[in-house]
Amino acid sequence: MSYKIKSRIWIECNEHVLLGEGRVQLLKAIDETGSLSKAAKTLNLSYKKAWNLIDSVNKSAKKPVTINSTGGKGGGGAELTEYGKALILVFDEINQNCWEFLDQQLGKIEDL
């Protein structure tokens, strides 16, 4: 038999989600596209949902995670701050470490 272990992690601050896989995907999409609107489209999210997620991240974080410029003739944009980029890297590292740990723990079931 082949067993799989499943898990999802997220980081909370004062009972509000700071980061989870979906928020990190959105931040990565903003970094790639330079736009919240374009990032939302690539992830099949409404602009309002994406804006609410980023607003929540920015309010829960110690420092701003994104820098937004308003639209207009040339259009607006969004970019990640250095802190935002660092958060993504740390979250991905924590997530990877979590999966490695869980895979090791799964061995206990397989050894029975």
Side-chain angles (χ1 to χ4, degrees), residues 48-79:
K48 182 173 176 25
K49 172 76 173 174
W51 190 92
N52 286 337
L53 288 171
I54 293 303
D55 187 53
S56 173
V57 170
N58 276 316
K59 286 179 178 174
S60 298
K62 291 194 287 191
K63 301 177 188 175
V65 175
T66 60
I67 298 169
N68 303 314
S69 57
T70 55
K73 207 172 194 182
E79 62 183 281

Side-chain angles (χ1 to χ4, degrees), residues 5 98-109 111:
I5 194 164
C98 181
W99 281 108
E100 289 171 9
F101 173 77
L102 292 173
D103 286 343
Q104 291 171 356
Q105 296 304 300
L106 185 59
K108 293 177 181 179
I109 298 287
D111 292 341

Side-chain angles (χ1 to χ4, degrees), residues 7 9 21 88-104:
S7 179
I9 65 164
E21 289 182 30
I88 290 172
L89 291 174
V90 170
F91 181 87
D92 283 346
E93 181 181 348
I94 291 169
N95 204 25
Q96 182 61 41
N97 290 342
C98 181
W99 281 108
E100 289 171 9
F101 173 77
L102 292 173
D103 286 343
Q104 291 171 356

